[in-house]
Amino acid sequence: MKYKMIDGHNDTLLNYMDETSDFDFLKESDKGHLDLIRAKKSGFSGGFFAIFTPNPVSPPPISKFITEKGYHMPLPDPINSSYAQLHTNKVLANMLKLEKDSQQQFIIVRSEKEMRNCLNKDAVGGIIHMEGAEAIDLDFNSLYVYHQAGLRSLGPVWSRANDFGEGVPYHFPASPDTGPGLTEKGKQLIRLCNELGVMIDLSHMNEKGFWDTARLSTHPLVSTHSNAHKLCPITRNLTDKQLDAIKESNGVVGVTFCANMLRVDGRMDLSAPLEAITEHIHYIADRIGVDHIALGSDFDGCTIPDVIKDVTGVPKLLEQLLREGWTEADIAKLTHLNWLRVLKETGI
């Protein structure tokens, strides 16, 4: 059975920034995790397409820091705002061109209604998400410009520091309570996003930043691509208290497929079975309810188990959940209904 799905996070747009690549989202490929043709084959009707600015010099991989006790990867250096704006504008321009070239097969979504329309027709909807707010100036002029261009989701920090706060580093095993919370400008950013109807993504925030946002925001709390810290104690995953706060706000958690965020021992196990992902889905659903869980793959932004491989593997995951006792009504909430509700309640 083919389910329509909305996915909480992908980094597929970064493929356009690789000058050595001939990537074309509109053509089917056997590389990467996501393109238009594979999306349609899999029921992928929409998702949050991240605009992320990498560091000019790539930080070492996690594997460089692994010891017998785990790993403690330092935060990458902060990046310059002007550099981030140039990169962000280029990626955003590529996304706008992609929409134009797609002949209505790929649509930049600016409202819950537009996303719902994509579910009902043969098109893929893309919500513009900014992962790390370095491209936003401290007078917030660019926030209004990006919102007018279609920005509807924002992660104030990635896993590094900026003017708005400090992201959570990749440590295992460790608590997500790793550093200071939001700056005053960060708190102002939260309030402005609430006013504009821009969803705030907590995925890369440290715990103090999470609780600052929970106190300030009037919108549902959302973590687009995170799992349960209880099952895999990496700093990027959510504690039970954080999960409870997301439920209390009527928010949602997008479960990610990232291999290093699944296992209790933190291993990057590409042979992990579907149950490694469904275990997190069951845990979160049992803890806070099926109304507060969704999909947040992180396609093209992380290493995922071979059993999923790419977007075409998601239907296998849904079939596994049915075998494990989920109903079709549960699956509908997981795949799209919960995302639609949160978009609407955020004012999108």
Side-chain angles (χ1 to χ4, degrees), residues 67-259:
T67 69
E68 291 182 0
K69 296 181 179 179
Y71 52 84
H72 193 280
M73 188 174 181
L75 287 173
D77 292 334
I79 61 172
N80 179 272
S81 180
S82 298
Y83 165 78
Q85 279 195 7
L86 287 172
H87 178 90
T88 297
N89 292 348
K90 187 172 183 179
V91 178
L92 180 55
N94 281 331
M95 193 172 180
L96 293 166
K97 291 173 187 174
L98 173 61
E99 180 184 43
K100 180 182 177 182
D101 293 342
S102 74
Q103 299 181 334
Q104 294 297 301
Q105 297 300 296
F106 177 77
I107 298 169
I108 294 177
V109 167
R110 294 172 172 84
S111 69
E112 181 267 348
K113 182 179 178 181
E114 290 179 5
M115 179 57 81
R116 192 178 291 275
N117 288 340
C118 287
L119 290 166
N120 295 327
K121 62 183 181 181
D122 189 31
V124 170
I127 297 171
I128 298 174
H129 169 74
M130 186 180 292
E131 188 170 27
E134 286 90 347
I136 295 175
D137 61 280
L138 295 182
D139 291 325
F140 301 102
N141 296 317
S142 55
L143 175 63
Y144 289 93
V145 174
Y146 288 132
H147 179 261
Q148 189 65 29
L151 179 70
R152 293 297 182 271
S153 177
L154 172 72
V157 293
W158 180 66
S159 290
R160 63 189 167 213
N162 63 24
D163 289 321
F164 306 104
E166 183 175 291
V168 65
Y170 283 84
H171 295 173
F172 181 93
S175 160
D177 187 10
T178 58
L182 298 176
T183 65
E184 287 306 311
K185 286 293 182 179
K187 294 173 183 177
Q188 191 175 350
L189 177 62
I190 300 300
R191 296 187 187 101
L192 286 173
C193 285
N194 280 179
E195 290 177 16
L196 289 171
V198 174
M199 192 184 84
I200 300 159
D201 180 16
L202 300 163
S203 296
H204 284 270
M205 275 195 190
N206 63 34
E207 192 168 2
K208 287 185 175 66
F210 178 101
W211 294 117
D212 284 344
T213 304
R215 283 188 289 270
L216 287 167
S217 181
T218 58
H219 289 167
L221 298 177
V222 175
S223 188
T224 63
H225 54 301
S226 299
N227 289 338
H229 189 270
K230 190 79 170 181
L231 300 182
C232 177
I234 186 174
T235 45
R236 269 277 286 108
N237 283 339
L238 297 162
T239 67
D240 285 351
K241 288 185 178 180
Q242 289 175 306
L243 292 173
D244 294 343
I246 288 171
K247 176 185 179 179
E248 289 170 12
S249 74
N250 207 26
V252 74
V253 178
V255 168
T256 181
F257 306 158
C258 293

Side-chain angles (χ1 to χ4, degrees), residues 5 7 9-13 32-34 44 256-258 296-302 304 308-314:
M5 72 179 94
D7 182 55
H9 189 86
N10 73 70
D11 285 294
T12 300
L13 292 175
H33 296 151
L34 182 64
F44 182 108
T256 181
F257 306 158
C258 293
S297 67
D298 204 0
F299 284 142
D300 291 314
C302 71
I304 64 176
I308 294 287
K309 182 186 174 186
D310 59 21
V311 66
T312 61
V314 178

